[in-house]
Amino acid sequence: MTKLAIFASGNGTNAQRISEYFAHHDKVQVACIVYNRKDAFVAERARRLGVPAQYFGRKDFYENGRVLDYLRSQGIDWVILAGFLWLVPQDILDAFPGRVINIHPALLPKYGGKGMFGEHVHEAVIAHHETESGITIHIVDQHYDRGTTLFQAKCSLTAEDTPETLAAKIHELEQKHFPVVIEQTVLAQ
Ligand code: GAR
């Protein structure tokens, strides 16, 4: 079994979709969900799904190595960022070289970087009167929203679109593509 750890910070719709997609998979398994905000709704989703979930704070990520210890104890092969809003610590990147995958709700390199997450991205896209947006799935390095692109999908925008309607289009693309791209990527290794 190839074992995935999902990192999430908030609502967790992607974490849920990925967990459900691999629930009965014969080669890939979501072994755990790691979250970094105590009140993140993803913890409740994990409980309902029966996926082990573990909270870690800033020190555990950046100072005492507890997150990496936990990933090792779970036998994790790949780390999947699904709405995880902190930089991945260097010790985790070193332990999983080329094996950390992120999803970003825009067509990188546009609308990426620090502070560009969730609705902030959609607001910026609308403010710039873009005629299209989309999702980018990429390998993670030590910079926000950089690293090799694995996949992009687009949606078109009209003058009537709002951050909310754009978020719904992005959500649909994420739900459709993210698990499949993860599956193809990890099984190709
Ligand atoms: C998703 O749209 C994801 O693309 C975005 O956060 C949302 C999390 O939703 N990620 C980023 O903005 C990363 N910079 P979810 O918690 O419901 O999966």
mmCIF file of all heavy atoms in Angstrom, residues 145-186:
data_model
loop_
_atom_site.group_PDB
_atom_site.id
_atom_site.type_symbol
_atom_site.label_atom_id
_atom_site.label_comp_id
_atom_site.label_asym_id
_atom_site.label_seq_id
_atom_site.Cartn_x
_atom_site.Cartn_y
_atom_site.Cartn_z
ATOM 1 N N ASP A 145 3.717 27.992 -3.436
ATOM 2 C CA ASP A 145 3.091 27.881 -4.756
ATOM 3 C C ASP A 145 4.083 27.839 -5.905
ATOM 4 O O ASP A 145 3.803 28.339 -7.003
ATOM 5 C CB ASP A 145 2.078 29.022 -4.965
ATOM 6 C CG ASP A 145 1.029 29.025 -3.872
ATOM 7 O OD1 ASP A 145 0.636 27.928 -3.462
ATOM 8 O OD2 ASP A 145 0.624 30.103 -3.431
ATOM 9 N N ARG A 146 5.269 27.275 -5.659
ATOM 10 C CA ARG A 146 6.210 27.042 -6.748
ATOM 11 C C ARG A 146 6.377 25.531 -6.886
ATOM 12 O O ARG A 146 5.646 24.742 -6.325
ATOM 13 C CB ARG A 146 7.539 27.732 -6.416
ATOM 14 C CG ARG A 146 7.390 29.243 -6.192
ATOM 15 C CD ARG A 146 8.027 30.062 -7.286
ATOM 16 N NE ARG A 146 9.469 30.013 -7.174
ATOM 17 C CZ ARG A 146 10.211 30.875 -6.488
ATOM 18 N NH1 ARG A 146 9.620 31.866 -5.853
ATOM 19 N NH2 ARG A 146 11.509 30.767 -6.438
ATOM 20 N N GLY A 147 7.358 25.117 -7.661
ATOM 21 C CA GLY A 147 7.553 23.682 -7.829
ATOM 22 C C GLY A 147 6.873 23.205 -9.094
ATOM 23 O O GLY A 147 5.973 23.861 -9.633
ATOM 24 N N THR A 148 7.310 22.047 -9.564
ATOM 25 C CA THR A 148 6.861 21.524 -10.855
ATOM 26 C C THR A 148 5.352 21.335 -10.922
ATOM 27 O O THR A 148 4.753 20.721 -10.033
ATOM 28 C CB THR A 148 7.532 20.146 -11.115
ATOM 29 O OG1 THR A 148 8.922 20.303 -10.900
ATOM 30 C CG2 THR A 148 7.260 19.649 -12.510
ATOM 31 N N THR A 149 4.757 21.852 -11.991
ATOM 32 C CA THR A 149 3.319 21.662 -12.188
ATOM 33 C C THR A 149 3.039 20.250 -12.693
ATOM 34 O O THR A 149 3.665 19.783 -13.650
ATOM 35 C CB THR A 149 2.784 22.686 -13.211
ATOM 36 O OG1 THR A 149 2.937 23.994 -12.656
ATOM 37 C CG2 THR A 149 1.317 22.455 -13.516
ATOM 38 N N LEU A 150 2.093 19.598 -12.062
ATOM 39 C CA LEU A 150 1.662 18.268 -12.502
ATOM 40 C C LEU A 150 0.441 18.355 -13.403
ATOM 41 O O LEU A 150 0.277 17.540 -14.320
ATOM 42 C CB LEU A 150 1.302 17.405 -11.287
ATOM 43 C CG LEU A 150 2.419 17.102 -10.295
ATOM 44 C CD1 LEU A 150 1.839 16.464 -9.033
ATOM 45 C CD2 LEU A 150 3.453 16.172 -10.927
ATOM 46 N N PHE A 151 -0.411 19.358 -13.124
ATOM 47 C CA PHE A 151 -1.712 19.394 -13.819
ATOM 48 C C PHE A 151 -2.358 20.757 -13.638
ATOM 49 O O PHE A 151 -2.244 21.365 -12.577
ATOM 50 C CB PHE A 151 -2.620 18.326 -13.186
ATOM 51 C CG PHE A 151 -4.022 18.292 -13.735
ATOM 52 C CD1 PHE A 151 -4.325 17.537 -14.852
ATOM 53 C CD2 PHE A 151 -5.047 19.010 -13.116
ATOM 54 C CE1 PHE A 151 -5.623 17.504 -15.354
ATOM 55 C CE2 PHE A 151 -6.342 18.982 -13.612
ATOM 56 C CZ PHE A 151 -6.623 18.225 -14.729
ATOM 57 N N GLN A 152 -3.020 21.235 -14.686
ATOM 58 C CA GLN A 152 -3.877 22.416 -14.561
ATOM 59 C C GLN A 152 -5.205 22.146 -15.264
ATOM 60 O O GLN A 152 -5.240 21.433 -16.266
ATOM 61 C CB GLN A 152 -3.225 23.666 -15.177
ATOM 62 C CG GLN A 152 -2.031 24.165 -14.361
ATOM 63 C CD GLN A 152 -1.500 25.498 -14.822
ATOM 64 O OE1 GLN A 152 -1.250 25.672 -16.006
ATOM 65 N NE2 GLN A 152 -1.305 26.429 -13.905
ATOM 66 N N ALA A 153 -6.264 22.712 -14.727
ATOM 67 C CA ALA A 153 -7.562 22.690 -15.408
ATOM 68 C C ALA A 153 -8.152 24.091 -15.298
ATOM 69 O O ALA A 153 -7.953 24.773 -14.295
ATOM 70 C CB ALA A 153 -8.495 21.670 -14.761
ATOM 71 N N LYS A 154 -8.880 24.493 -16.352
ATOM 72 C CA LYS A 154 -9.380 25.870 -16.421
ATOM 73 C C LYS A 154 -10.903 25.922 -16.332
ATOM 74 O O LYS A 154 -11.592 24.962 -16.693
ATOM 75 C CB LYS A 154 -8.969 26.498 -17.762
ATOM 76 C CG LYS A 154 -7.475 26.724 -17.897
ATOM 77 C CD LYS A 154 -7.154 27.316 -19.272
ATOM 78 C CE LYS A 154 -5.663 27.525 -19.421
ATOM 79 N NZ LYS A 154 -5.302 27.987 -20.769
ATOM 80 N N CYS A 155 -11.389 27.081 -15.888
ATOM 81 C CA CYS A 155 -12.809 27.391 -16.025
ATOM 82 C C CYS A 155 -12.900 28.818 -16.553
ATOM 83 O O CYS A 155 -11.994 29.622 -16.332
ATOM 84 C CB CYS A 155 -13.536 27.266 -14.691
ATOM 85 S SG CYS A 155 -12.888 28.312 -13.393
ATOM 86 N N SER A 156 -13.983 29.111 -17.273
ATOM 87 C CA SER A 156 -14.099 30.462 -17.811
ATOM 88 C C SER A 156 -14.939 31.337 -16.875
ATOM 89 O O SER A 156 -15.755 30.843 -16.092
ATOM 90 C CB SER A 156 -14.691 30.434 -19.213
ATOM 91 O OG SER A 156 -15.879 29.710 -19.194
ATOM 92 N N LEU A 157 -14.703 32.634 -16.974
ATOM 93 C CA LEU A 157 -15.385 33.602 -16.116
ATOM 94 C C LEU A 157 -16.138 34.601 -16.979
ATOM 95 O O LEU A 157 -15.670 34.959 -18.059
ATOM 96 C CB LEU A 157 -14.368 34.375 -15.279
ATOM 97 C CG LEU A 157 -13.605 33.566 -14.242
ATOM 98 C CD1 LEU A 157 -12.618 34.445 -13.510
ATOM 99 C CD2 LEU A 157 -14.579 32.974 -13.257
ATOM 100 N N THR A 158 -17.257 35.058 -16.460
ATOM 101 C CA THR A 158 -17.982 36.138 -17.129
ATOM 102 C C THR A 158 -17.976 37.359 -16.213
ATOM 103 O O THR A 158 -17.569 37.269 -15.045
ATOM 104 C CB THR A 158 -19.450 35.736 -17.392
ATOM 105 O OG1 THR A 158 -20.101 35.625 -16.125
ATOM 106 C CG2 THR A 158 -19.548 34.424 -18.140
ATOM 107 N N ALA A 159 -18.469 38.469 -16.734
ATOM 108 C CA ALA A 159 -18.512 39.714 -15.941
ATOM 109 C C ALA A 159 -19.437 39.555 -14.734
ATOM 110 O O ALA A 159 -19.334 40.309 -13.764
ATOM 111 C CB ALA A 159 -18.978 40.866 -16.827
ATOM 112 N N GLU A 160 -20.330 38.567 -14.782
ATOM 113 C CA GLU A 160 -21.274 38.379 -13.670
ATOM 114 C C GLU A 160 -20.675 37.584 -12.521
ATOM 115 O O GLU A 160 -21.238 37.520 -11.436
ATOM 116 C CB GLU A 160 -22.546 37.646 -14.155
ATOM 117 C CG GLU A 160 -23.539 38.525 -14.876
ATOM 118 C CD GLU A 160 -23.065 38.892 -16.280
ATOM 119 O OE1 GLU A 160 -22.626 37.975 -17.004
ATOM 120 O OE2 GLU A 160 -23.077 40.090 -16.627
ATOM 121 N N ASP A 161 -19.549 36.946 -12.754
ATOM 122 C CA ASP A 161 -18.994 36.092 -11.693
ATOM 123 C C ASP A 161 -18.563 36.910 -10.484
ATOM 124 O O ASP A 161 -18.066 38.035 -10.600
ATOM 125 C CB ASP A 161 -17.810 35.272 -12.233
ATOM 126 C CG ASP A 161 -18.251 33.932 -12.793
ATOM 127 O OD1 ASP A 161 -18.897 33.181 -12.044
ATOM 128 O OD2 ASP A 161 -17.955 33.641 -13.974
ATOM 129 N N THR A 162 -18.740 36.310 -9.314
ATOM 130 C CA THR A 162 -18.320 36.902 -8.036
ATOM 131 C C THR A 162 -17.307 35.939 -7.408
ATOM 132 O O THR A 162 -17.164 34.794 -7.879
ATOM 133 C CB THR A 162 -19.529 37.017 -7.089
ATOM 134 O OG1 THR A 162 -19.996 35.679 -6.804
ATOM 135 C CG2 THR A 162 -20.656 37.831 -7.704
ATOM 136 N N PRO A 163 -16.607 36.358 -6.350
ATOM 137 C CA PRO A 163 -15.715 35.416 -5.676
ATOM 138 C C PRO A 163 -16.438 34.122 -5.278
ATOM 139 O O PRO A 163 -15.858 33.033 -5.352
ATOM 140 C CB PRO A 163 -15.237 36.198 -4.448
ATOM 141 C CG PRO A 163 -15.268 37.633 -4.886
ATOM 142 C CD PRO A 163 -16.465 37.731 -5.791
ATOM 143 N N GLU A 164 -17.720 34.240 -4.925
ATOM 144 C CA GLU A 164 -18.467 33.047 -4.497
ATOM 145 C C GLU A 164 -18.753 32.112 -5.663
ATOM 146 O O GLU A 164 -18.593 30.887 -5.542
ATOM 147 C CB GLU A 164 -19.801 33.454 -3.834
ATOM 148 C CG GLU A 164 -19.666 34.134 -2.489
ATOM 149 C CD GLU A 164 -19.106 35.560 -2.557
ATOM 150 O OE1 GLU A 164 -19.370 36.256 -3.565
ATOM 151 O OE2 GLU A 164 -18.395 35.971 -1.617
ATOM 152 N N THR A 165 -19.182 32.661 -6.800
ATOM 153 C CA THR A 165 -19.479 31.772 -7.936
ATOM 154 C C THR A 165 -18.190 31.182 -8.495
ATOM 155 O O THR A 165 -18.166 30.027 -8.938
ATOM 156 C CB THR A 165 -20.258 32.500 -9.054
ATOM 157 O OG1 THR A 165 -19.454 33.574 -9.570
ATOM 158 C CG2 THR A 165 -21.578 33.046 -8.547
ATOM 159 N N LEU A 166 -17.098 31.973 -8.460
ATOM 160 C CA LEU A 166 -15.808 31.431 -8.907
ATOM 161 C C LEU A 166 -15.363 30.307 -7.969
ATOM 162 O O LEU A 166 -14.895 29.255 -8.430
ATOM 163 C CB LEU A 166 -14.755 32.545 -8.957
ATOM 164 C CG LEU A 166 -13.323 32.103 -9.233
ATOM 165 C CD1 LEU A 166 -13.220 31.279 -10.511
ATOM 166 C CD2 LEU A 166 -12.390 33.316 -9.319
ATOM 167 N N ALA A 167 -15.536 30.514 -6.654
ATOM 168 C CA ALA A 167 -15.155 29.478 -5.686
ATOM 169 C C ALA A 167 -15.883 28.170 -5.980
ATOM 170 O O ALA A 167 -15.292 27.084 -5.884
ATOM 171 C CB ALA A 167 -15.461 29.957 -4.261
ATOM 172 N N ALA A 168 -17.150 28.275 -6.383
ATOM 173 C CA ALA A 168 -17.925 27.067 -6.680
ATOM 174 C C ALA A 168 -17.373 26.352 -7.916
ATOM 175 O O ALA A 168 -17.292 25.114 -7.956
ATOM 176 C CB ALA A 168 -19.390 27.428 -6.883
ATOM 177 N N LYS A 169 -16.968 27.122 -8.924
ATOM 178 C CA LYS A 169 -16.378 26.513 -10.135
ATOM 179 C C LYS A 169 -15.053 25.818 -9.799
ATOM 180 O O LYS A 169 -14.763 24.723 -10.291
ATOM 181 C CB LYS A 169 -16.134 27.586 -11.202
ATOM 182 C CG LYS A 169 -17.402 28.166 -11.804
ATOM 183 C CD LYS A 169 -17.068 29.229 -12.840
ATOM 184 C CE LYS A 169 -18.337 29.871 -13.390
ATOM 185 N NZ LYS A 169 -18.069 30.914 -14.379
ATOM 186 N N ILE A 170 -14.251 26.479 -8.972
ATOM 187 C CA ILE A 170 -12.959 25.919 -8.576
ATOM 188 C C ILE A 170 -13.173 24.643 -7.760
ATOM 189 O O ILE A 170 -12.483 23.632 -7.953
ATOM 190 C CB ILE A 170 -12.147 26.957 -7.752
ATOM 191 C CG1 ILE A 170 -11.796 28.161 -8.616
ATOM 192 C CG2 ILE A 170 -10.914 26.336 -7.125
ATOM 193 C CD1 ILE A 170 -10.861 27.895 -9.762
ATOM 194 N N HIS A 171 -14.132 24.714 -6.859
ATOM 195 C CA HIS A 171 -14.444 23.561 -6.008
ATOM 196 C C HIS A 171 -14.772 22.338 -6.874
ATOM 197 O O HIS A 171 -14.288 21.230 -6.624
ATOM 198 C CB HIS A 171 -15.630 23.926 -5.113
ATOM 199 C CG HIS A 171 -16.051 22.848 -4.177
ATOM 200 N ND1 HIS A 171 -15.342 22.526 -3.037
ATOM 201 C CD2 HIS A 171 -17.097 21.993 -4.218
ATOM 202 C CE1 HIS A 171 -15.937 21.532 -2.419
ATOM 203 N NE2 HIS A 171 -17.012 21.178 -3.108
ATOM 204 N N GLU A 172 -15.567 22.574 -7.906
ATOM 205 C CA GLU A 172 -15.957 21.481 -8.806
ATOM 206 C C GLU A 172 -14.725 20.869 -9.493
ATOM 207 O O GLU A 172 -14.590 19.646 -9.591
ATOM 208 C CB GLU A 172 -16.925 22.047 -9.847
ATOM 209 C CG GLU A 172 -17.768 21.013 -10.527
ATOM 210 C CD GLU A 172 -18.808 21.686 -11.422
ATOM 211 O OE1 GLU A 172 -19.597 22.509 -10.927
ATOM 212 O OE2 GLU A 172 -18.790 21.386 -12.616
ATOM 213 N N LEU A 173 -13.829 21.741 -9.971
ATOM 214 C CA LEU A 173 -12.603 21.247 -10.621
ATOM 215 C C LEU A 173 -11.748 20.457 -9.634
ATOM 216 O O LEU A 173 -11.180 19.409 -9.973
ATOM 217 C CB LEU A 173 -11.779 22.416 -11.176
ATOM 218 C CG LEU A 173 -12.336 23.163 -12.377
ATOM 219 C CD1 LEU A 173 -11.430 24.346 -12.729
ATOM 220 C CD2 LEU A 173 -12.480 22.231 -13.584
ATOM 221 N N GLU A 174 -11.647 20.970 -8.413
ATOM 222 C CA GLU A 174 -10.826 20.291 -7.400
ATOM 223 C C GLU A 174 -11.373 18.901 -7.097
ATOM 224 O O GLU A 174 -10.619 17.924 -7.038
ATOM 225 C CB GLU A 174 -10.763 21.139 -6.124
ATOM 226 C CG GLU A 174 -10.001 22.432 -6.317
ATOM 227 C CD GLU A 174 -9.804 23.246 -5.054
ATOM 228 O OE1 GLU A 174 -10.632 23.146 -4.135
ATOM 229 O OE2 GLU A 174 -8.823 23.994 -4.976
ATOM 230 N N GLN A 175 -12.683 18.840 -6.892
ATOM 231 C CA GLN A 175 -13.301 17.552 -6.546
ATOM 232 C C GLN A 175 -13.131 16.536 -7.679
ATOM 233 O O GLN A 175 -12.913 15.357 -7.436
ATOM 234 C CB GLN A 175 -14.799 17.757 -6.252
ATOM 235 C CG GLN A 175 -15.078 18.641 -5.050
ATOM 236 C CD GLN A 175 -14.992 17.884 -3.726
ATOM 237 O OE1 GLN A 175 -15.643 16.862 -3.551
ATOM 238 N NE2 GLN A 175 -14.179 18.361 -2.818
ATOM 239 N N LYS A 176 -13.200 17.031 -8.896
ATOM 240 C CA LYS A 176 -13.102 16.134 -10.052
ATOM 241 C C LYS A 176 -11.676 15.626 -10.252
ATOM 242 O O LYS A 176 -11.465 14.434 -10.495
ATOM 243 C CB LYS A 176 -13.583 16.884 -11.299
ATOM 244 C CG LYS A 176 -13.513 16.068 -12.564
ATOM 245 C CD LYS A 176 -14.150 16.811 -13.721
ATOM 246 C CE LYS A 176 -14.001 16.019 -15.007
ATOM 247 N NZ LYS A 176 -14.173 16.849 -16.194
ATOM 248 N N HIS A 177 -10.700 16.529 -10.174
ATOM 249 C CA HIS A 177 -9.358 16.183 -10.646
ATOM 250 C C HIS A 177 -8.348 15.788 -9.576
ATOM 251 O O HIS A 177 -7.437 15.009 -9.866
ATOM 252 C CB HIS A 177 -8.777 17.365 -11.434
ATOM 253 C CG HIS A 177 -9.517 17.668 -12.692
ATOM 254 N ND1 HIS A 177 -9.524 16.801 -13.772
ATOM 255 C CD2 HIS A 177 -10.286 18.724 -13.049
ATOM 256 C CE1 HIS A 177 -10.253 17.327 -14.745
ATOM 257 N NE2 HIS A 177 -10.728 18.492 -14.328
ATOM 258 N N PHE A 178 -8.442 16.368 -8.371
ATOM 259 C CA PHE A 178 -7.336 16.203 -7.425
ATOM 260 C C PHE A 178 -7.058 14.722 -7.094
ATOM 261 O O PHE A 178 -5.918 14.263 -7.214
ATOM 262 C CB PHE A 178 -7.588 17.041 -6.166
ATOM 263 C CG PHE A 178 -6.363 17.314 -5.321
ATOM 264 C CD1 PHE A 178 -5.067 17.118 -5.800
ATOM 265 C CD2 PHE A 178 -6.503 17.779 -4.017
ATOM 266 C CE1 PHE A 178 -3.947 17.393 -5.007
ATOM 267 C CE2 PHE A 178 -5.395 18.052 -3.221
ATOM 268 C CZ PHE A 178 -4.111 17.844 -3.713
ATOM 269 N N PRO A 179 -8.076 13.932 -6.733
ATOM 270 C CA PRO A 179 -7.777 12.533 -6.394
ATOM 271 C C PRO A 179 -7.168 11.763 -7.566
ATOM 272 O O PRO A 179 -6.274 10.935 -7.369
ATOM 273 C CB PRO A 179 -9.138 11.941 -6.024
ATOM 274 C CG PRO A 179 -10.035 13.086 -5.811
ATOM 275 C CD PRO A 179 -9.517 14.232 -6.607
ATOM 276 N N VAL A 180 -7.647 12.052 -8.765
ATOM 277 C CA VAL A 180 -7.170 11.312 -9.945
ATOM 278 C C VAL A 180 -5.702 11.645 -10.227
ATOM 279 O O VAL A 180 -4.897 10.758 -10.534
ATOM 280 C CB VAL A 180 -8.058 11.640 -11.174
ATOM 281 C CG1 VAL A 180 -7.574 10.876 -12.392
ATOM 282 C CG2 VAL A 180 -9.506 11.338 -10.874
ATOM 283 N N VAL A 181 -5.360 12.928 -10.097
ATOM 284 C CA VAL A 181 -3.963 13.339 -10.327
ATOM 285 C C VAL A 181 -3.057 12.740 -9.245
ATOM 286 O O VAL A 181 -1.948 12.279 -9.538
ATOM 287 C CB VAL A 181 -3.842 14.876 -10.385
ATOM 288 C CG1 VAL A 181 -2.387 15.303 -10.474
ATOM 289 C CG2 VAL A 181 -4.634 15.418 -11.561
ATOM 290 N N ILE A 182 -3.528 12.704 -8.009
ATOM 291 C CA ILE A 182 -2.746 12.061 -6.935
ATOM 292 C C ILE A 182 -2.517 10.587 -7.284
ATOM 293 O O ILE A 182 -1.395 10.073 -7.215
ATOM 294 C CB ILE A 182 -3.486 12.172 -5.574
ATOM 295 C CG1 ILE A 182 -3.548 13.620 -5.111
ATOM 296 C CG2 ILE A 182 -2.796 11.301 -4.527
ATOM 297 C CD1 ILE A 182 -4.519 13.854 -3.954
ATOM 298 N N GLU A 183 -3.569 9.924 -7.669
ATOM 299 C CA GLU A 183 -3.483 8.495 -7.991
ATOM 300 C C GLU A 183 -2.461 8.254 -9.102
ATOM 301 O O GLU A 183 -1.568 7.401 -8.978
ATOM 302 C CB GLU A 183 -4.863 7.997 -8.420
ATOM 303 C CG GLU A 183 -4.914 6.521 -8.795
ATOM 304 C CD GLU A 183 -6.318 6.128 -9.228
ATOM 305 O OE1 GLU A 183 -6.993 6.927 -9.910
ATOM 306 O OE2 GLU A 183 -6.737 5.011 -8.882
ATOM 307 N N GLN A 184 -2.581 9.029 -10.184
ATOM 308 C CA GLN A 184 -1.667 8.840 -11.324
ATOM 309 C C GLN A 184 -0.224 9.125 -10.915
ATOM 310 O O GLN A 184 0.690 8.416 -11.319
ATOM 311 C CB GLN A 184 -2.062 9.767 -12.472
ATOM 312 C CG GLN A 184 -3.335 9.322 -13.149
ATOM 313 C CD GLN A 184 -3.903 10.386 -14.090
ATOM 314 O OE1 GLN A 184 -3.458 11.537 -14.103
ATOM 315 N NE2 GLN A 184 -4.906 10.023 -14.861
ATOM 316 N N THR A 185 -0.036 10.160 -10.090
ATOM 317 C CA THR A 185 1.327 10.563 -9.718
ATOM 318 C C THR A 185 1.976 9.530 -8.811
ATOM 319 O O THR A 185 3.117 9.123 -9.042
ATOM 320 C CB THR A 185 1.296 11.950 -9.030
ATOM 321 O OG1 THR A 185 0.634 12.873 -9.883
ATOM 322 C CG2 THR A 185 2.694 12.435 -8.724
ATOM 323 N N VAL A 186 1.282 9.097 -7.796
ATOM 324 C CA VAL A 186 1.924 8.181 -6.839
ATOM 325 C C VAL A 186 2.103 6.788 -7.457
ATOM 326 O O VAL A 186 3.078 6.105 -7.144
ATOM 327 C CB VAL A 186 1.186 8.104 -5.478
ATOM 328 C CG1 VAL A 186 0.957 9.495 -4.908
ATOM 329 C CG2 VAL A 186 -0.099 7.331 -5.553
#
